[in-house]
Amino acid sequence: MSSTLAVSRAGAWLPRLAWAALAYNILVILWGAVVRITGAGAGCGEHWPLCNGVVVPQDPSVHTLIELSHRLTSSLSGLIAIVLVVLAFRVAPKGHMARFGAVLSLGLIILEGLVGGVQVLLGLTADSTDPARGLVQGIHLSNTFLLLGALLLTALWASGGPRLRLRGQGAAGWASFAGLGLLLVLGAAGAVTALGDLLFLPADGSTPIATVKRDFAATATVIENLRIIHPLLAILTSAYLVWLGVLLRRVRPNAEVNRWSLVLWGLLGAQMVAGFANIALKAPGWMQLTHLLLACIMWLATVMLTYRALTALSVAPAPAALSPSPSANRTTPKGRNA
């Protein structure tokens, strides 16, 4: 099976388009957060894919313009994904992982649009406090992370990166995927907390302790009850990812593994600072966007660390007790052990 792309102008454009699609989708994700922060999610009413029942709304409000622009930018990401699939099938040979990554990315973008559409059609936007909104928000962000991961892998494969080998990876395999799973759950919990901050965070000078007490008052909603999960899970996940970096550096000694583990640790520190600042400042919009951007980058760094670890050419040597000495079977000219 060939892993070489067709040597042509089109072949040169495939990795460029994949990297551009990844960067563009991060911008789309941040703009989606602006829609939530500004309460513009109901800017097109409970209509999808139309906006207020029409293709082009007349005399649109500011909220309508924000929501409509998000839909247009999201639609453009879908068109880019379609072009990526067409280009991948044109320049990559049958069985090439760039084809798989492009198709997976398109599927996740379609799912992303469907989840957003369900959210609009069910009225889970603007000031809605329905617990189902928290569930949909969590699924939405988890799918977003998966989409970014698929686009990153597509870009790596299109750039000549090796395919992943999932079998026989041992501790490096299960520990890496457990870390990715934790980040998905953390992201979903973060989406619920961000929603709770938008809907219920008091504008007065309440302390974080007072806010937590309010979250568990008799009149608190399910979304308020769940807000505490994200910071607690963030501490647990951060500790695990630090350990994961140490493990992978030991069992997959490789320059790329060392580099990306350091990047991940640096991002963990920055994200923890951003998280505490978000709480202290009572989650202003710009801080929420910073927190989300760091979350996306940290997810991508973890995917990259996992990819480099599972495609590393060198593996740590077995312990001396389990690995015979190279000279163990060497004999002297007389036939005795050396």
Side-chain angles (χ1 to χ4, degrees):
M1 181 185 301
S2 174
S3 61
T4 305
L5 299 180
V7 181
S8 65
R9 182 170 297 180
W13 269 104
L14 180 59
R16 296 174 188 172
L17 180 61
W19 287 113
L22 175 60
Y24 178 75
N25 273 273
I26 292 176
L27 295 178
V28 173
I29 291 163
L30 294 176
W31 189 244
V34 171
V35 173
R36 173 182 53 78
I37 292 169
T38 58
C44 288
E46 295 184 9
H47 298 90
W48 185 88
L50 299 178
C51 184
N52 291 324
V54 297
V55 176
V56 181
Q58 303 297 316
D59 287 329
S61 65
V62 173
H63 280 184
T64 299
L65 289 174
I66 294 174
E67 168 64 8
L68 182 59
S69 65
H70 177 56
R71 293 189 184 187
L72 292 175
T73 54
S74 298
S75 298
L76 180 57
S77 70
L79 292 176
I80 293 173
I82 292 173
V83 174
L84 188 63
V85 170
V86 172
L87 191 58
F89 274 77
R90 179 181 174 187
V91 304
K94 185 178 180 180
H96 196 286
M97 291 303 293
R99 288 188 173 192
F100 170 75
V103 172
L104 179 60
S105 299
L106 176 59
L108 289 170
I109 283 181
I110 293 173
L111 182 57
E112 188 90 335
L114 292 176
V115 173
V118 167
Q119 193 170 4
V120 171
L121 293 174
L122 295 181
L124 304 176
T125 58
D127 298 325
S128 171
T129 59
D130 190 325
R133 185 180 180 186
L135 175 63
V136 174
Q137 288 276 99
I139 294 173
H140 205 14
L141 190 57
S142 294
N143 187 75
T144 294
F145 277 6
L146 291 174
L147 169 60
L148 292 180
L151 286 170
L152 174 59
L153 290 175
T154 303
L156 289 169
W157 287 324
S159 301
R163 64 187 300 143
L164 280 170
R165 181 173 60 84
L166 302 181
R167 293 183 178 180
Q169 292 287 355
W174 65 257
S176 295
F177 287 111
L180 292 173
L182 273 174
L183 275 178
L184 287 177
V185 175
L186 178 62
V192 175
T193 297
L195 179 61
D197 289 343
L198 174 68
L199 297 175
F200 304 109
L201 194 64
D204 57 25
S206 299
T207 64
I209 298 298
T211 301
V212 171
K213 290 181 178 179
R214 188 181 293 107
D215 287 346
F216 289 94
T219 57
T221 66
V222 174
I223 294 177
E224 289 175 281
N225 296 158
L226 295 176
R227 287 179 65 237
I228 191 63
I229 293 179
H230 178 64
L232 297 178
L233 189 59
I235 296 173
L236 172 64
T237 303
S238 297
Y240 182 88
L241 292 178
V242 169
W243 173 81
L244 176 63
V246 173
L247 173 69
L248 294 180
R249 289 164 73 96
R250 179 172 59 85
V251 300
R252 294 289 189 273
N254 176 280
E256 288 294 313
V257 170
N258 293 343
R259 180 181 298 115
W260 284 104
S261 61
L262 289 176
V263 170
L264 178 58
W265 293 339
L267 288 169
L268 282 171
Q271 187 68 305
M272 292 297 286
V273 171
F276 284 118
N278 198 42
I279 295 173
L281 297 175
K282 296 193 178 300
W286 65 270
M287 195 68 245
Q288 291 187 48
L289 290 175
T290 301
H291 201 36
L292 177 59
L293 176 60
L294 284 172
C296 291
I297 296 175
M298 190 170 72
W299 163 258
L300 291 173
T302 308
V303 173
M304 182 66 86
L305 173 61
T306 297
Y307 175 78
R308 294 305 183 189
L310 300 187
T311 57
L313 296 179
S314 59
V315 180
L322 300 178
S323 177
S325 169
S327 61
N329 295 322
R330 201 167 55 204
T331 61
T332 64
K334 295 182 180 180
R336 294 174 298 172
N337 287 338

